[in-house]
Amino acid sequence: MGNKINRHLILSLLLFFLLPLQAQTPQLSNDAKISLLTVSPSDDAVYTVYGHSALRVQDAAQKIDAVFNYGIFSFAKPNFIYRFAKGETDYRLGVEHFRDFMIEYEMRGSEVTEQVLELDSITKNRIWEALLINNRPENRVYRYNFFFDNCATRPAAIVEANVEGKMLFPDPGRKQTFRDMINYCTRNHPWLTFGCDLALGSPTDRVATPREEMFLPVYLKEAFGKATINGTDGSVRNLVGSEQILTEGITDDTDVESDLFTPLFCCWTFFLLVLTITFIEWRRKTYFRIVDCVLFFIAGMAGVVLFFLCFISTHPSIWPNWSIVWLQPFALIAVILFAVKKLRKAAYYYHFINFAALTLMLAGWYFIPQHLNTAFIPLVMSLWLRSGYGVYRKIWNIGYGKY
């Protein structure tokens, strides 16, 4: 939902951006325009599937045509992946000439829509001044929050805070959870949906308010298009005066990641492999220890990541997360129990507890107050099957004589 590269601040960033902080803010002329730019989603990268928003300020009299873009970040930042996972990603406001802003999206084939806001001169200058203040070096960096503080929520907040009167957004009449909305954005990327469903907890399944829906640029555009301003003099007018498509998007009917290797297919294939191995063990009355060591090591490592997201990360909507029931760090301890002969009794207790917990989880799957991706089911069943076989082996003393 933002541009990833730190853009070059060219001469079109204009001298007024370099003015001393004490200098007088240049006033916009009466013919100046402020508009919301909305970029349609694209499948080019993970961060482009959600679309993008920015504010444009035009003033022909002062030769200003600048775009204020709150979606600037860089993968080159130190420890970017760690900081992103911990919820400490810093975005910043970038300002560039309108033409430079458009080039990227024209090359990408994204649709860019402009909504010119119907504002009086006082409001335009208030927004303009607020944008300039935001662009000061000490103000331009902010702590990014996917749902509540991003490239779409910032323009909405700055417009609403500076209008003369009160902005009213009509209720669209739909009931969508945060997960519904982001899963629709990632619909062409099933592995991305899989990852989001794994990382995001039950708060993501809360129905978003009409205002909260505006964290996605497409809903911000819709809300602005229907919003009204109730003036202090009792007048009511539309927020958007005119709307136009600046560049048409390229229509691509090809489904991204629509091949055979979807999460559901891969996870069921994995379960069938585990089932086959377990069946062979049962027929031969033996035990392939390496299978449990590898399987539970992978589950334990995934559990460590999930534990970090749930209890250390500051991301919202992460905890509680019911996936911690089947992906937990204790699986790493279990690997040691499986590998050491003297700890086989403790290994049995682990299998018994894990088998009971996963049985309850599978039995109550559709009653769990969180959306769980259906591709999780065969993975949970794989762990459930191996723990079940571990209990069975203890009862019948299978595989306990050899190490």
Side-chain angles (χ1 to χ4, degrees):
M1 206 187 319
N3 299 330
K4 74 179 178 100
I5 306 296
N6 288 328
R7 297 177 178 276
H8 300 294
L9 300 178
I10 330 172
L11 61 81
S12 23
L13 289 189
L14 313 170
L15 290 176
F16 52 76
F17 293 120
L18 303 177
L19 291 174
L21 299 185
Q22 296 79 15
Q24 174 90 27
T25 301
Q27 293 292 299
L28 297 176
S29 69
N30 292 334
D31 295 328
K33 297 178 182 178
I34 294 180
S35 52
L36 175 71
L37 301 178
T38 303
V39 180
S40 66
S42 74
D43 293 315
D44 288 24
V46 170
Y47 57 88
T48 65
V49 300
Y50 305 103
H52 184 49
S53 298
L55 286 174
R56 178 187 184 187
V57 180
Q58 302 169 261
D59 192 348
Q62 299 202 52
K63 298 182 180 179
I64 295 172
D65 197 352
V67 175
F68 289 77
N69 179 358
Y70 285 92
I72 304 294
F73 72 95
S74 173
F75 286 125
K77 286 271 190 178
N79 305 312
F80 178 85
I81 299 298
Y82 170 78
R83 290 176 63 84
F84 181 82
K86 197 170 184 295
E88 295 180 349
T89 309
D90 287 333
Y91 274 47
R92 70 173 180 84
L93 169 62
V95 188
E96 59 194 310
H97 194 277
F98 170 72
R99 188 64 225 155
D100 297 321
F101 176 85
M102 289 294 294
I103 287 173
E104 176 183 350
Y105 300 110
E106 289 173 346
M107 293 177 64
R108 184 188 295 173
S110 295
E111 179 182 281
V112 180
T113 304
E114 180 179 36
Q115 294 170 303
V116 179
L117 306 184
E118 190 67 33
L119 306 172
D120 55 49
S121 293
I122 294 176
T123 302
K124 290 176 189 175
N125 276 288
R126 282 181 176 175
I127 294 173
W128 168 242
E129 183 176 1
L131 289 170
L132 292 181
I133 292 172
N134 272 196
N135 192 47
R136 290 174 180 172
E138 68 271 23
N139 297 333
R140 62 172 62 121
V141 176
Y142 70 98
R143 183 56 48 86
Y144 173 81
N145 184 304
F146 182 78
F147 290 130
F148 305 113
D149 198 354
N150 62 29
C151 71
T153 63
R154 289 242 158 182
I158 208 165
V159 171
E160 187 172 19
N162 290 282
V163 294
E164 280 284 309
K166 184 176 182 180
M167 282 174 54
L168 296 177
F169 299 99
D171 189 337
R174 54 178 170 255
K175 300 296 180 183
Q176 295 186 108
T177 66
F178 289 97
R179 197 186 303 271
D180 290 336
M181 290 184 279
I182 62 173
N183 282 0
Y184 181 78
C185 293
T186 62
R187 63 193 180 281
N188 291 332
H189 301 271
W191 283 105
L192 180 55
T193 303
F194 178 90
C196 290
D197 282 343
L198 188 61
L200 296 172
S202 57
T204 316
D205 297 300
R206 174 175 67 82
V207 174
T209 65
R211 182 57 187 269
E212 288 171 335
E213 287 184 354
M214 287 187 261
F215 82 94
L216 283 177
V218 64
Y219 291 122
L220 176 63
K221 181 180 82 168
E222 177 188 311
F224 266 42
K226 297 178 179 178
T228 57
I229 300 176
N230 286 10
T232 54
D233 58 356
S235 63
V236 178
R237 67 182 187 279
N238 293 329
L239 171 63
V240 173
S242 64
E243 179 175 322
Q244 63 176 328
I245 296 175
L246 301 178
T247 178
E248 295 280 357
I250 296 175
T251 303
D252 185 0
D253 296 327
T254 303
D255 287 333
V256 180
E257 297 182 11
S258 60
D259 58 3
L260 184 63
F261 298 103
T262 62
L264 194 60
F265 175 83
C266 292
C267 291
W268 276 113
T269 301
F270 181 79
F271 170 73
L272 292 175
L273 176 62
V274 173
L275 179 63
T276 301
I277 293 172
T278 307
F279 178 75
I280 293 172
E281 289 177 302
W282 176 74
R283 287 294 298 269
R284 296 181 181 179
K285 297 191 182 322
T286 188
Y287 174 45
F288 301 146
R289 193 172 319 280
I290 189 64
V291 175
D292 278 355
C293 288
V294 171
L295 178 61
F296 283 87
F297 177 79
I298 295 172
M301 292 303 295
V304 169
V305 174
L306 201 59
F307 181 90
F308 176 87
L309 290 175
C310 290
F311 300 105
I312 299 176
S313 172
T314 59
H315 278 296
S317 304
I318 296 292
W319 175 257
N321 188 336
W322 282 80
S323 287
I324 203 76
V325 174
W326 65 280
L327 290 177
Q328 17 83 12
F330 297 116
L332 292 177
I333 300 175
V335 173
I336 300 174
L337 304 182
F338 303 153
V340 179
K341 183 177 181 178
K342 292 181 180 180
L343 299 176
R344 62 187 185 182
K345 188 173 183 179
Y348 162 73
Y349 287 132
Y350 173 84
H351 277 314
F352 183 86
I353 295 171
N354 194 53
F355 179 75
L358 297 185
T359 298
L360 291 173
M361 185 175 191
L362 289 168
W365 189 268
Y366 292 103
F367 299 100
I368 293 173
Q370 176 181 326
H371 168 81
L372 296 172
N373 197 298
T374 52
F376 298 167
I377 295 176
L379 298 181
V380 177
M381 289 177 63
S382 297
L383 296 168
W384 171 81
L385 178 64
R386 294 307 297 178
S387 282
Y389 186 63
V391 174
Y392 174 84
R393 287 189 303 103
K394 172 64 176 175
I395 295 173
W396 295 98
N397 200 28
I398 295 173
Y400 276 79
K402 297 179 182 179
Y403 269 78

